[in-house]
Amino acid sequence: MNSLLYVYAICIILLFVKMFFISAYQGYYRIKNKAFKNKEDAGFLGVSAQTIELPQVVRAQQAWLNDLENIPVFWVLGGLCILLNTDYTITKWLFIIFTFSRIFHTLTYLTSLQPWRTISYSVGIICLIVMAIKITINVIIL
């Protein structure tokens, strides 16, 4: 079995844990402040529904949406890198750097740290672009 698959699997698990953290972060702030927009959620705890979300929840939602623009692309490109047998060392590092750039992006998004948020986002995008180039080269060569 391709050992790159193991690196890819670990990266996917780390990204899953990171995304789960964002969900838990939102839930923590909603429960802590008893601030729920949905009537059924507020009613379950016997409080009134809020008309607006907490700022922490909004930031977490924005980080989550940004993940949904990038992480599925990583899943596809990463899988293609494995199937097309791109260079092991380069691809391994692209997987690792992408994963940690997404983790760092979330941390910097939640804490409003610029320019680090933009830098971490850019590093992740560069990894995706390089993966796409590696895939294209392998397809042309094959």
Side-chain angles (χ1 to χ4, degrees), residues 14-102:
L14 288 172
L15 292 168
F16 161 74
V17 169
K18 182 199 77 63
M19 291 181 79
F20 183 79
F21 167 79
I22 294 175
S23 296
Y25 180 91
Q26 291 174 334
Y28 168 78
Y29 277 98
R30 285 182 176 133
I31 292 168
K32 175 184 170 193
N33 295 289
K34 296 182 181 172
F36 301 92
K37 278 187 74 174
N38 296 328
K39 288 181 183 180
E40 67 275 13
D41 297 338
F44 182 71
L45 292 178
V47 297
S48 298
Q50 305 294 311
T51 57
I52 59 171
E53 285 283 14
L54 295 166
Q56 298 90 341
V57 173
V58 171
R59 285 200 76 81
Q61 286 172 339
Q62 292 167 335
W64 178 267
L65 289 173
N66 191 276
D67 280 346
L68 293 179
E69 295 172 2
N70 292 278
I71 292 175
V73 176
F74 170 72
W75 296 336
V76 173
L77 292 176
L80 287 171
C81 284
I82 292 167
L83 288 172
L84 294 170
N85 200 29
T86 58
D87 178 82
Y88 172 81
T89 303
I90 293 171
T91 305
K92 174 184 80 169
W93 282 109
L94 289 169
F95 288 179
I96 292 167
I97 293 168
F98 175 83
T99 299
F100 284 97
S101 74
R102 293 309 305 168

Side-chain angles (χ1 to χ4, degrees), residues 118-137:
T118 299
I119 292 169
S120 60
Y121 173 82
S122 299
V123 167
I125 291 298
I126 290 168
C127 289
L128 295 177
I129 291 167
V130 173
M131 280 185 237
I133 291 168
K134 299 295 285 176
I135 291 165
T136 303
I137 290 169

